[in-house]
Amino acid sequence: MPVEPIKSPCIKVCAVDGKTGLCLGCGRTLPEIGGWVKMGAEAREQVTALLPERIARLESMGKR
């Protein structure tokens, strides 16, 4: 049975905002980015569910 690659929200815009600690590209924190592969599917889904609000917050701050 082939192994599917782990989906990632990364959009190859990797810059972390010093004020929020969020990646300006995907909205994840450095610990989330670093631990993405080791996280279980449920944990990745939980983080993914938070990303639209984080991105909206970055946009409202003029960071994106």
Side-chain angles (χ1 to χ4, degrees):
M1 185 177 238
V3 177
E4 288 189 37
I6 295 173
K7 293 179 184 176
S8 171
C10 181
I11 61 169
K12 308 289 190 250
V13 178
C14 304
V16 176
D17 176 59
K19 183 175 180 181
T20 64
L22 300 174
C23 175
L24 299 176
C26 67
R28 293 179 293 169
T29 65
L30 283 176
E32 290 166 348
I33 293 167
W36 194 254
V37 174
K38 294 179 183 177
M39 284 182 189
E42 186 175 322
R44 287 191 298 272
E45 288 173 16
Q46 289 173 348
V47 171
T48 300
L50 300 172
L51 299 181
E53 182 275 327
R54 292 178 180 180
I55 296 298
R57 187 169 80 184
L58 289 168
E59 288 173 346
S60 74
M61 296 170 73
K63 306 271 183 172
R64 266 189 104 204

